[in-house]
């Protein structure tokens, strides 16, 4: 149920948004004043990729549209910052906490603190591996294993006629994160049955362009015979394209590239022929998140898992979709 905020303990948080008081009289913050207003504490992973920027915008705009007061913090890809932010939201007695966990493990203690304080938690975008699923109300986001499978299926189709070995390098997302674990697993599951597909190198690029470029440069030096790059997001793929061009090779031709996300810059590179295939992962989770938040705050039941609907894009499909692309 809605609760009044009496204190605002904001120490240690970056970029916290405070909105005006909702309930008349007394509390320093919003919510719980009988007018039905809701305050959400949201802990974001960081600003590591185009996907993340679009996701943050979606959350902020949807909160505003839904009349939900948003306290937002950016964890700069560090779990300790997220735990600090969640503890601060508990102290502030927000009505609901939503967060996108940077890694899967290590959340039980802080989630139990939220439960003890009777503050519902919604996982958004990424999952946690806690055995006790009662520590959160629902998990809204993509099926990352399925995304990895889609990437693998394209590869199977692309190389269906040949028997020569196909040398693959993989740029993984943030180590220990759900999308890195699952996108690797789904891809492996599909290509694993055919001996010709060989992952000759696999390393994290931390979902960033700069790291994607750096790691791809090292891959290119160590392996003169790369056929395919599988990057767990567009940004790392875009960084890798710079490395490939820098090495005098043609991305999309000498080295085929598959990425995940389908943000505008990725889609542009796909339309330009530098990427061969993109598996979509939608960052526009804000509207659904706000709907779920309203329900859990009211004590209504919500599905334990809400999966985002997504598609895939070839080069031709990217050309057609680009003009209407929102992110
Ligand atoms: O694919 C990547 C971002 O968790 C789905 O995180 C998200 C991933 C996304 O940095 O670009």
């Amino acid at each position: 149920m809605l609760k009044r905020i009496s204190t605002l303990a904001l120490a240690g948080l970056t970029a916290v948004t405070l909105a005006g008081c909702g309930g008349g009289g007394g509390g320093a913050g919003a919510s719980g004043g009988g007018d039905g207003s809701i305050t959400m504490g949201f802990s974001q992973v960081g600003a590591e990729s185009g996907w993340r920027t679009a996701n943050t915008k979606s959350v902020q705009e949807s909160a505003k549209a839904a009349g939900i007061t948003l306290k937002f913090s950016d964890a700069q890809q560090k779990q300790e910052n997220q735990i600090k932010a969640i503890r601060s939201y508990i102290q502030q007695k927000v009505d609901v906490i939503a967060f996108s966990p940077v890694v899967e493990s290590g959340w039980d203690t802080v989630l139990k603190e939220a439960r003890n304080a009777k503050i519902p938690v919604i996982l958004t975008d990424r999952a946690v591996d806690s055995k006790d699923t009662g520590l959160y109300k629902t998990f809204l986001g993509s099926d990352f294993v399925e995304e990895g499978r889609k990437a693998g299926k394209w590869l199977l189709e692309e190389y269906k006629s040949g028997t020569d070995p196909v040398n693959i390098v993989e740029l993984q997302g943030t180590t220990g994160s759900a999308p890195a674990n699952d996108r690797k697993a789904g891809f492996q599951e599909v290509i694993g049955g055919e001996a010709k597909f060989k992952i000759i190198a696999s390393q994290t690029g931390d979902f960033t362009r700069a790291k994607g470029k750096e790691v791809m440069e090292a891959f290119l030096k160590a392996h003169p015979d790369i056929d395919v790059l599988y990057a767990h997001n567009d940004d790392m793929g875009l960084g890798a394209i710079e490395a490939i061009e820098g090495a005098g090779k043609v991305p999309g031709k000498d080295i085929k590239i598959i990425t995940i996300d389908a943000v505008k810059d990725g889609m542009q590179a796909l339309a330009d022929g530098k990427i061969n295939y993109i598996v979509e992962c939608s960052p526009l989770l804000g509207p659904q998140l706000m709907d779920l938040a309203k329900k859990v705050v009211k004590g209504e039941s919500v599905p334990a898992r809400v999966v985002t609907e997504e598609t895939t894009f070839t080069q031709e499909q990217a050309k057609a979709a680009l003009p209407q692309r929102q992110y």
Side-chain angles (χ1 to χ4, degrees), residues 49 77 87 116 119 279 296-298 302 316:
S49 62
Q77 300 234 70
R87 291 207 165 116
N116 291 342
I119 300 175
V279 177
V296 300
V297 169
K298 277 193 215 144
V302 291
E316 287 313 309

Side-chain angles (χ1 to χ4, degrees), residues 45 48-52 77 100 125-126 142 144 147 174 177 179 183 206-208 232-235 260-261 263 281-282:
V45 168
E48 75 282 4
S49 62
W51 190 100
R52 191 63 53 198
Q77 300 234 70
S100 175
D125 159 36
R126 296 185 182 178
S142 309
F144 299 135
E147 290 173 351
T174 301
S177 69
R183 286 170 183 171
D206 215 8
F207 281 131
T208 68
H232 289 187
N233 80 343
D234 289 347
D235 281 83
I260 298 180
D261 274 357
V263 295
C281 177
S282 175

